[in-house]
Amino acid sequence: MSEAEITRAITFTVNGAVTDMHVEERFSLADMLRHCLALTGTHLGCEHGVCGACTVLVDGEAIRSCLMLAVQVDGSDVTTIEGLADEDGRLNRLQQAFSDHHGLQCGFCTPGILMTLSAFLADNPAPDEGHLREALSGNICRCTGYQGIVDAVMDVVAAPAAKAGQ
Amino acid sequence: MHGKVFVGQSVKRLEDPDLLRGQGQFLDDLALPGMLQAAFVRSPFAHASFSHIDTATAAAAPGVVAVLTAADLPAEMREKRILLQVPNPAISYPVTQMPLASKEVCFVGEAVAMVIADSRHRAEDAAEQVIVDWQPLPAAAHCVDALKPNAPVVHSTMKDNLAGRFSLGFGDVDIAFNHADHVFSARYDTHRGTGLPMECRGVAAVYDVVGDGLRVWTSTQTPHNTQRGLVDMFDMAEDKVRVITPEVGGGFGPKNQVYPEEMMVPVAAKLLGRPVKWVEDRREHFMTTTQERDQVWDVSVAVAASGQILGIKGHLIHDAGAYLPWGIIMPYISASTLPGPYRLPAYRMDVSVAFTNMVATTPMRGAGRPQAVFVMERLVDLIAHELRLDPAEVRDRNFITAAEMPYSMGLTYRDGAPVIYDSGDYPEAQRRALAGAGYADFKARQATALAEGRYLGIGIGNYVEGTGLGPFEGATVRILSNGRVAIYTGATPAGQAHRTILAQICADQLGIDITAIDVVLGDTGVMPRGAGTFASRITVNAGSSVQIAAQQVRAKVLALAAAKFGVAESDLELADGLVKITGAQGDRISFAELAKMTSGMPGYVLPQGVMPDLEASGYFTPPQATYSNGSHVAVVEVDPETGMVTIDDYVVVHDCGNVINPKLVDGQVQGGVVHGIGNALLERMVYDDDANPLTTTFADYLMPTAEWAPNCRIIHMESPTPLNPLGVKGAGEGGTIPVPAAIVAAIENALQPFDVRFDSCPITPQMIVAKIHATAQ
């Protein structure tokens, strides 16, 4: 094993499950989630922190998992796209709104956008459209032209209490 | 008939639930036991030769299983190039890439060695230790310069950089120009950047020793082309090579070629006897995934005093990059798209295709059309400017009218058929777009704004787009013994929701819900022939094939049920997976029972002439392209101090014939327009004078974000085509095509007080400020 491959033991929570593991120090959080835990819903679009596809929540904050080292989540609470729907797989309000308003096409950037917006709406439950677009501007989507995403979020903002499927 | 109709409805996508939960299976999500990971050693030079690659250190690095160079490839692959997809006699040098370059590299990023290790990290570590004795050579960095005498040659084996030359046109251009009241000339530069799907490319492969077969997964728009490329490269039987596309995270054109990595990953899997995967990173994507960019047009237009166009002539130089994976299709599309919705009596375009030491250019969303539309619309605006006419009025005086349909242009399209516009009402499309944008009172609004020191402008972009190209895309429809319906097709989705669209078409024919249908896509193992997802062709081709196949299955269901019940077929109806006798109680049979009976159930005798299985295959073969059209109107505000452009309003009139799912078409148009905004204002792939790419991150190459995207107001017109059973035309690219034309016209209109002209795109703030300053001096 070369120096670059030194591992370290970490303990953290991912989508509610406590996880102990040894991880290479050089692994990004995205690499660890995808390759060590098979949580492949977190996608890598650029690996230089611009496109936002790899966004996950660490202690409730949206972060780019391509720019964070896996060892940095030791002791933290991580939520990925796999943690948004309930245990029966029922989509949450925001996910359902994306389907209702054609907020995704190829779906590759979608997990990162959902995680960014989850954190944003937790802090800003009633944004106006300009504020929303600013918050969304750190995520690149080549397919949708963003309008379906904006419509989905504004729908959630207008009726936050409504449950999926109702 | 059953009650519910799906075609024409904005039904929700079948694709969404998995993708929203992070359960979509993309290429990099594939993990097979024992799978090895690959990294490539790539050229740091735009042009160089080499004679020796030292792999010893890399091969001894931790975890490395093999390092392959061209010399290590099986004998049948050596010096062999990837299959040229579209040969053409006008091509001077029909050169495509080798799986690994063997002695010369012709663009930055061309691969010369492949490192295979037990992890990607280790493969990349070792790739840095491969040593190549590079001998840099002079590079050709711009298509115009590349065609000049004594320009550096792109490939050392060639005497010049002319990749191909052809002319096309009709009518007598000399007469047109001799009789013109006015002749106006201009040079237009267009630059298209690159496609940039959010998912980069990737390939995985397994070799089956027992069956001597390859199974290849690749993030492509065209699994059948990849299969053809592999069959040609390895000289294998087609049924030994199965190519499968997982979910594809965006395509936009660049995933519509066969790439060297799609040869190398399978050969490595075969040589090593283990699964191998390679996933492109974004830097590799900017260097090695095909782009579509530079064209330079020198054009003249002959005009009558009325503003009527009499003729257009000119010369187009197209940048091919270093190789021709798609031949010379794109400049051909450009030249044949130029006339657009306008009546053009005489036309001649001489086209030169130039090799340059940059990654190859191939069709990207719009595929040569945005450039042609930019040139034509800029010419029309030039006529309006010079003759002091309203730009909308000049267009009105030149439109082909609905009464003239079908309209024969006098050209041959890239499918070999004549350019015949099949349907559409171009004047009405523009009328509705202008009305939507409030064109009639815009001048008053503009004057009011100007009095406040604000510079508003309006611009128009009209286009006609050949879509739905053949030769075919097949589909099989089968009722399974569990009563569900399966659709199999070679068509590969990359966000367009093919599953939903094809299920809608099938559901209406069989009287079932779309959720009772499973669509299996993009797998050469389920559909032996296919072309791929490009040229806005899947709903036209695969959709029509599903319609034909589903109608045949329906007929078979009715025939079998009629025989069983001893009634006429006209007495039967299909609903919710059952065949019932109309009006009768009790007499019914399910699709599941019929499927079991016809799939070899002992004791059941098929009626004479009926083949087993409730299955039919269709291969719709369109006679020619079907022509979509549209009219875009952009309203912008320009800040002359900073050069910043804000899009205040964007109206789209879009006619793609009958609409299967309005919400999905709106999504294609909205997404397409925002892609076009990138082409108009942001996206510039910069190379230096030595052809080194300088914009290889998303921080350097700007794509539109949510703050750039207007909420397009989309107005549908539906002019059905007679050329396919659904009456549909392509919808995937029209959103993008006229955007640079409309936005650049709007910028120019906003800056009328400064009297500046723009002949290129994208237009950046620096260019606007520089132009205003230059004109003021």
Side-chain angles (χ1 to χ4, degrees):
Chain A
M1 189 167 64
S2 71
E3 197 174 318
E5 297 179 343
I6 294 169
T7 64
R8 188 181 293 200
I10 57 172
T11 301
F12 65 106
T13 306
V14 60
N15 300 329
V18 177
T19 306
D20 295 304
M21 67 189 307
H22 279 82
V23 64
E24 280 186 36
E25 288 181 344
R26 67 173 170 173
F27 266 42
S28 68
L29 175 57
D31 284 341
M32 182 265 276
L33 292 169
R34 292 183 51 78
H35 301 307
C36 304
L37 298 178
L39 292 170
T40 55
T42 298
H43 297 152
L44 289 164
C46 70
E47 296 177 88
H48 50 254
V50 181
C51 81
C54 67
T55 304
V56 299
L57 303 185
V58 176
D59 298 327
E61 274 193 66
I63 65 100
R64 303 198 167 204
S65 61
C66 73
L67 293 186
M68 188 175 200
L69 291 170
V71 294
Q72 290 178 278
V73 300
D74 189 22
S76 292
D77 182 16
V78 178
T79 306
T80 69
I81 182 69
E82 287 89 348
L84 286 191
D86 68 19
E87 284 182 3
D88 299 331
R90 196 172 63 164
L91 303 180
N92 75 11
R93 175 83 182 100
L94 183 63
Q95 289 170 307
Q96 186 59 48
F98 265 58
S99 181
D100 295 344
H101 292 279
H102 195 17
L104 68 159
Q105 290 184 21
C106 81
F108 192 81
C109 71
T110 308
I113 288 180
L114 286 169
M115 301 317 287
T116 296
L117 292 173
S118 297
F120 173 68
L121 290 172
D123 294 341
N124 305 275
D128 63 24
E129 187 178 318
H131 190 193
L132 166 62
R133 284 183 183 271
E134 187 187 342
L136 189 53
S137 68
N139 289 74
I140 302 174
C141 170
R142 186 57 132 180
C143 295
T144 63
Y146 305 100
Q147 190 58 43
I149 300 169
V150 169
D151 291 344
V153 177
M154 295 318 283
D155 187 12
V156 171
V157 168
K163 292 283 195 300
Q166 290 180 2
Chain B
M1 279 301 291
H2 55 98
K4 199 166 178 185
V5 173
F6 290 94
V7 168
Q9 305 298 316
S10 290
V11 300
K12 284 184 204 168
R13 304 189 337 151
L14 298 173
E15 291 82 352
D16 287 349
D18 282 350
L19 293 170
L20 287 165
R21 292 188 192 101
Q23 306 290 332
Q25 292 296 305
F26 294 88
L27 189 282
D28 192 29
D29 304 339
L30 190 72
L32 297 173
M35 188 173 247
L36 300 170
Q37 309 288 332
F40 285 88
V41 179
R42 300 183 181 280
S43 172
F45 297 102
H47 195 192
S49 62
F50 60 96
S51 54
H52 183 67
I53 301 179
D54 181 351
T55 61
T57 311
V64 172
V65 177
V67 182
L68 301 177
T69 67
D72 303 311
L73 297 178
E76 71 268 19
M77 283 178 72
R78 275 185 220 146
E79 299 298 312
K80 199 164 171 178
R81 294 182 183 277
I82 297 169
L83 185 67
L84 174 67
Q85 296 289 345
V86 193
N88 186 305
I91 299 173
S92 317
Y93 300 110
V95 61
T96 58
Q97 277 187 259
M98 292 180 193
L100 289 175
S102 63
K103 48 184 174 280
E104 182 180 9
V105 286
C106 299
F107 67 94
V108 171
E110 188 162 8
V112 296
M114 178 189 198
V115 179
I116 303 118
D118 58 5
S119 81
R120 173 64 178 250
H121 291 75
R122 286 176 153 181
E124 290 191 23
D125 288 346
E128 289 179 1
Q129 298 176 56
V130 173
I131 300 160
V132 185
D133 67 336
W134 300 112
Q135 305 292 319
L137 296 167
H142 191 276
C143 58
V144 173
D145 295 337
L147 292 182
K148 288 177 179 165
N150 304 319
V153 286
V154 170
H155 297 263
S156 58
T157 51
M158 296 175 181
K159 64 178 174 26
D160 61 32
N161 295 319
L162 186 66
R165 172 183 283 169
F166 61 92
S167 298
L168 53 74
F170 49 80
D172 192 322
V173 173
D174 292 337
I175 291 178
F177 278 80
N178 288 337
H179 288 78
D181 293 318
H182 307 279
V183 171
F184 306 120
S185 299
R187 165 175 275 210
Y188 297 107
D189 275 297
T190 60
H191 181 88
R192 285 269 288 136
T194 180
L196 294 172
M198 295 319 296
E199 181 203 34
C200 291
R201 297 185 291 120
V203 193
V206 178
Y207 178 68
D208 169 18
V209 183
V210 178
D212 184 29
L214 274 173
R215 185 178 292 204
V216 180
W217 293 263
T218 176
S219 180
T220 185
Q221 297 168 232
T222 172
H224 289 87
N225 276 358
T226 307
Q227 184 196 38
R228 278 191 282 276
L230 286 164
V231 162
D232 180 74
M233 179 62 63
F234 295 126
D235 200 17
M236 290 175 82
E238 287 175 40
D239 62 350
K240 299 290 187 192
V241 180
R242 179 174 177 182
V243 179
I244 303 165
T245 53
E247 292 290 342
V248 176
F252 312 109
K255 288 185 184 172
N256 190 31
Q257 356 292 324
V258 184
Y259 283 96
E261 297 87 352
E262 289 174 309
M263 305 290 118
M264 286 308 302
V265 171
V267 78
K270 186 172 179 178
L271 289 172
L272 303 174
R274 288 175 67 178
V276 177
K277 181 165 80 174
W278 165 78
V279 176
E280 183 184 56
D281 69 27
R282 186 58 68 181
R283 183 164 174 271
E284 287 180 297
H285 187 89
F286 273 108
M287 294 191 301
T288 69
T289 294
T290 57
Q291 304 175 347
E292 183 185 348
R293 47 176 186 276
D294 299 342
Q295 289 186 347
V296 178
W297 300 64
D298 284 299
V299 283
S300 299
V301 58
V303 190
S306 63
Q308 189 193 346
I309 299 170
L310 304 174
I312 291 175
K313 64 180 179 183
H315 182 213
L316 159 61
I317 296 177
H318 174 87
D319 175 11
Y323 295 98
L324 297 173
W326 265 85
I328 53 174
I329 281 290
M330 260 190 311
Y332 195 91
I333 294 174
S334 297
S336 55
T337 295
L338 182 114
Y342 308 111
R343 198 181 299 104
L344 182 57
Y347 176 51
R348 181 179 170 91
M349 191 58 57
D350 299 317
V351 181
S352 301
V353 184
F355 282 118
T356 56
N357 286 109
M358 296 182 277
V359 66
T361 61
T362 64
M364 175 174 71
R365 198 171 203 171
R369 298 176 188 86
Q371 299 95 312
V373 168
F374 184 79
V375 169
M376 187 66 195
E377 296 294 281
R378 291 276 69 205
L379 275 179
V380 176
D381 288 335
L382 178 63
I383 294 167
H385 180 258
E386 294 291 340
L387 301 184
R388 298 177 189 282
L389 294 169
D390 185 283
E393 176 63 25
V394 175
R395 287 169 168 85
D396 252 336
R397 291 180 189 179
N398 285 285
F399 276 133
I400 297 160
T401 63
E404 293 171 89
M405 296 291 167
Y407 182 88
S408 180
M409 178 62 67
L411 287 173
T412 300
Y413 198 48
R414 62 156 282 208
D415 57 1
V419 175
I420 301 173
Y421 295 164
D422 41 319
S423 62
D425 188 339
Y426 310 149
E428 178 64 13
Q430 176 174 291
R431 195 192 64 73
R432 292 192 194 183
L434 294 176
Y439 194 80
D441 65 8
F442 181 78
K443 277 190 176 153
R445 285 189 280 147
Q446 189 176 38
T448 306
L450 192 58
E452 299 167 358
R454 294 166 52 227
Y455 293 80
L456 294 190
I458 195 164
I460 305 168
N462 295 320
Y463 70 97
V464 179
E465 172 200 5
T467 72
L469 297 192
F472 57 77
E473 201 65 59
T476 296
V477 172
R478 181 186 296 158
I479 299 177
L480 305 174
S481 57
N482 62 3
R484 291 185 66 79
V485 173
I487 299 172
Y488 304 97
T489 176
T492 299
Q496 301 90 338
H498 292 156
R499 285 189 185 89
T500 305
I501 295 162
L502 299 179
Q504 285 180 263
I505 294 165
C506 182
D508 279 1
Q509 294 304 318
L510 296 181
I512 52 173
D513 195 84
I514 57 168
T515 56
I517 299 174
D518 301 309
V519 188
V520 181
L521 297 138
D523 182 346
T524 64
V526 301
M527 204 68 208
R529 290 278 175 261
T533 300
F534 56 93
S536 296
R537 62 187 297 282
I538 293 304
T539 304
V540 171
N541 284 275
S544 295
S545 293
V546 166
Q547 168 101 341
I548 291 165
Q551 282 171 342
Q552 290 173 7
V553 171
R554 175 189 176 87
K556 193 165 179 179
V557 164
L558 288 171
L560 288 166
K564 179 174 174 61
F565 293 131
V567 299
E569 290 179 24
S570 57
D571 293 328
L572 297 171
E573 61 184 24
L574 271 52
D576 301 324
L578 298 169
V579 193
K580 303 178 198 172
I581 299 175
T582 308
Q585 296 288 325
D587 282 332
R588 57 179 56 190
I589 187 165
S590 70
F591 283 8
E593 289 171 273
L594 278 171
K596 285 190 191 103
M597 279 161 47
T598 57
S599 62
M601 187 169 79
Y604 176 75
V605 179
L606 287 163
Q608 285 303 295
V610 176
M611 291 289 130
D613 271 337
L614 296 179
E615 174 185 301
S617 294
Y619 275 104
F620 175 69
T621 55
Q624 62 156 74
T626 176
Y627 289 83
S628 298
N629 69 282
S631 183
H632 291 202
V633 176
V635 177
V636 305
E637 180 169 345
V638 185
D639 181 341
E641 294 291 322
T642 64
M644 195 65 189
V645 176
T646 312
I647 299 164
D648 284 354
D649 193 14
Y650 204 96
V651 178
V652 175
V653 172
H654 187 259
D655 190 340
C656 62
N658 290 337
V659 172
I660 306 285
N661 187 321
K663 188 168 264 186
L664 296 182
V665 173
D666 285 353
Q668 289 295 311
V669 172
Q670 170 76 25
V673 167
V674 174
H675 194 154
I677 288 168
N679 298 151
L681 297 173
L682 296 168
E683 298 186 39
R684 181 174 287 278
M685 187 68 211
V686 182
Y687 288 82
D688 70 12
D689 291 343
D690 295 319
N692 296 302
L694 302 183
T695 46
T696 57
T697 73
F698 284 140
D700 303 302
Y701 182 102
L702 302 183
M703 290 171 76
T705 58
E707 291 177 299
W708 281 96
N711 182 3
C712 296
R713 294 190 288 134
I714 302 166
I715 300 163
H716 291 286
M717 287 176 67
E718 296 191 48
S719 304
T721 177
L723 296 171
N724 63 62
L726 296 166
V728 295
K729 306 177 178 183
E733 299 171 85
T736 305
I737 290 170
V739 181
I743 288 183
V744 173
I747 294 171
E748 199 173 271
N749 181 250
L751 297 176
Q752 268 178 340
F754 302 98
D755 195 28
V756 294
R757 308 288 301 168
F758 291 99
D759 298 328
S760 66
C761 63
I763 299 291
T764 58
Q766 302 92 305
M767 292 165 72
I768 289 172
V769 172
K771 195 88 147 184
I772 289 172
H773 285 185
T775 310
Q777 282 163 8

